[in-house]
Amino acid sequence: MTGRSHRRTAASNAVAAGAQRLAIIAGSGSLPLYVAIAARSAGEDPLIIRLKDEADLDWSQFESASISVGDVKGLGLLLSHHGIDRVVLSGGVARRPEWREIRPNLKMIAKMPSIIRTLLSGGDDTVLQMVIGLIEAQGVRVIGAHEIAPRLLATTGPLGKIKPTDDDRKDIVKAARAALALGVLDVGQGAVSVSGRIVALEGVEGTDGMLERVADLRTAGRISQRRKGVLVKLCKPQQDIRADLPTIGPSTVENASKAGLAGIAVEAGRAFILDREAMLKAADEAGLFVCGIDTALEGDMM
């Protein structure tokens, strides 16, 4: 019997015995894999539900299934068939489904008008809260990725060898205020401050796209070549922390360096650090600081 066949048989036996199981709905990026590995280390046998056109990793070492983003009916069947009682939402989703792509089940037919309105005009957090509600309507509980992989969370203070200067700290405070204001509008999670001036706010292009924009502005002379600046990423004030926590990794450091920044600050306890060792090595080599901040202590965030 192959490993995959064995897992399928074990899963079927577990369902028949009334056992409960974790499912990880996987979008793009490496976060879903980190969560899956942490779950397996804790004795779980997670089912990976790959989102079509989003999930981009090799999941051959885990039992997995694939569904489209709007296929609520298919999701409900998967959750029921595999005895799922907990679901983690993990990874990026680049595109919202069109309302015509939604495949409802009987539990959500009456909610379709509200779903369509949210997809058309709701911010990212509003959409995520709707998604969490639809999943929990299938009789399961949505939990946060941080509950499965708490070691990925940023801690307070410098994480690498480089520490922010006094000027950097002032930029951290300014960018944090801007990121929180942006979050209230349910637009994005990140902001860049250079010498106390907000030069970029994160939109639908994401953090890397925003940093590329900062690099272009610097090349064009719109931002001083001498003054560096700081990227800050925070949770939105109203955000449900079970989904879409701010995340940084090696690509964030690479793009922050290209943008000429001095460093990156994220919210301690509410932001993920991916590929931590490689990311901090790259930051140290580039002369960038990476730190976790406590937004409750404005003016002394570290």
Side-chain angles (χ1 to χ4, degrees):
M1 180 181 293
T2 66
R4 182 174 294 182
S5 297
H6 176 74
R7 287 195 297 271
R8 281 200 296 265
T9 301
S12 298
N13 291 340
V15 173
Q20 301 300 310
R21 191 178 182 191
L22 173 72
I24 298 171
I25 299 180
S28 62
S30 58
L31 178 59
L33 181 59
Y34 277 97
V35 176
I37 291 171
R40 180 172 279 177
S41 296
E44 300 267 12
D45 178 25
L47 172 71
I48 310 303
I49 301 177
R50 297 173 282 113
L51 295 178
K52 290 180 181 177
D53 302 320
E54 299 289 353
D56 50 9
L57 299 181
D58 176 9
W59 290 104
S60 59
Q61 298 305 308
F62 293 83
E63 183 179 8
S64 71
S66 178
I67 62 170
S68 63
V69 174
D71 189 1
V72 180
K73 182 177 181 179
L75 175 63
L77 292 173
L78 277 174
L79 298 178
S80 175
H81 177 72
H82 290 276
I84 302 299
D85 71 324
R86 290 154 297 137
V87 170
V88 171
L89 301 174
S90 181
V93 177
R95 186 185 70 86
R96 295 186 187 187
E98 297 288 339
W99 68 268
R100 298 176 185 82
E101 299 175 89
I102 300 296
R103 186 172 174 237
N105 58 13
L106 291 177
K107 295 179 181 179
M108 60 178 286
I109 289 293
K111 298 180 180 180
M112 280 302 295
S114 174
I115 291 169
I116 292 171
R117 285 195 300 271
T118 300
L119 288 174
L120 290 175
S121 60
D124 288 346
D125 190 61
T126 303
V127 171
L128 281 171
Q129 289 179 12
M130 178 193 73
V131 169
I132 288 172
L134 291 175
I135 293 172
E136 292 196 325
Q138 311 307 310
V140 300
R141 182 165 59 95
V142 175
I143 61 175
H146 62 284
E147 298 178 61
I148 302 296
R151 292 184 180 181
L152 296 180
L153 292 172
T155 53
T156 305
L159 304 179
K161 296 178 181 178
I162 312 298
K163 296 182 179 180
T165 65
D166 288 342
D167 286 341
D168 294 333
R169 290 171 183 268
K170 293 176 183 177
D171 271 328
I172 288 173
V173 172
K174 190 66 178 284
R177 290 174 181 166
L180 288 172
L182 184 69
V184 169
L185 297 174
D186 197 5
V187 176
Q189 299 173 320
V192 175
S193 174
V194 178
S195 293
R197 174 191 175 199
I198 300 300
V199 300
L201 299 172
E202 182 184 8
V204 295
E205 81 277 30
T207 304
D208 288 343
M210 175 182 63
L211 292 174
E212 289 173 7
R213 181 156 42 92
V214 173
D216 291 341
L217 289 170
R218 203 180 287 274
T219 299
R222 300 293 300 276
I223 301 173
S224 169
Q225 295 288 347
R226 293 186 302 105
R227 299 168 181 170
K228 292 196 171 184
V230 169
L231 162 68
V232 173
K233 291 195 69 173
L234 305 177
C235 271
K236 299 170 185 175
Q238 75 283 6
Q239 182 169 337
D240 190 322
I241 64 171
R242 290 177 293 175
D244 195 33
L245 287 184
T247 301
I248 62 171
S251 68
T252 319
V253 168
E254 179 183 357
N255 285 306
S257 179
K258 290 178 180 178
L261 300 183
I264 302 165
V266 294
E267 189 169 359
R270 301 214 302 175
F272 289 124
I273 308 291
L274 301 186
D275 300 324
R276 181 181 295 250
E277 185 175 339
M279 188 201 72
L280 293 179
K281 180 181 178 182
D284 291 342
E285 291 175 350
L288 270 70
F289 70 82
V290 179
C291 65
I293 61 175
D294 185 349
T295 59
L297 302 174
E298 184 173 323
D300 187 23
M301 291 188 177
M302 298 173 55

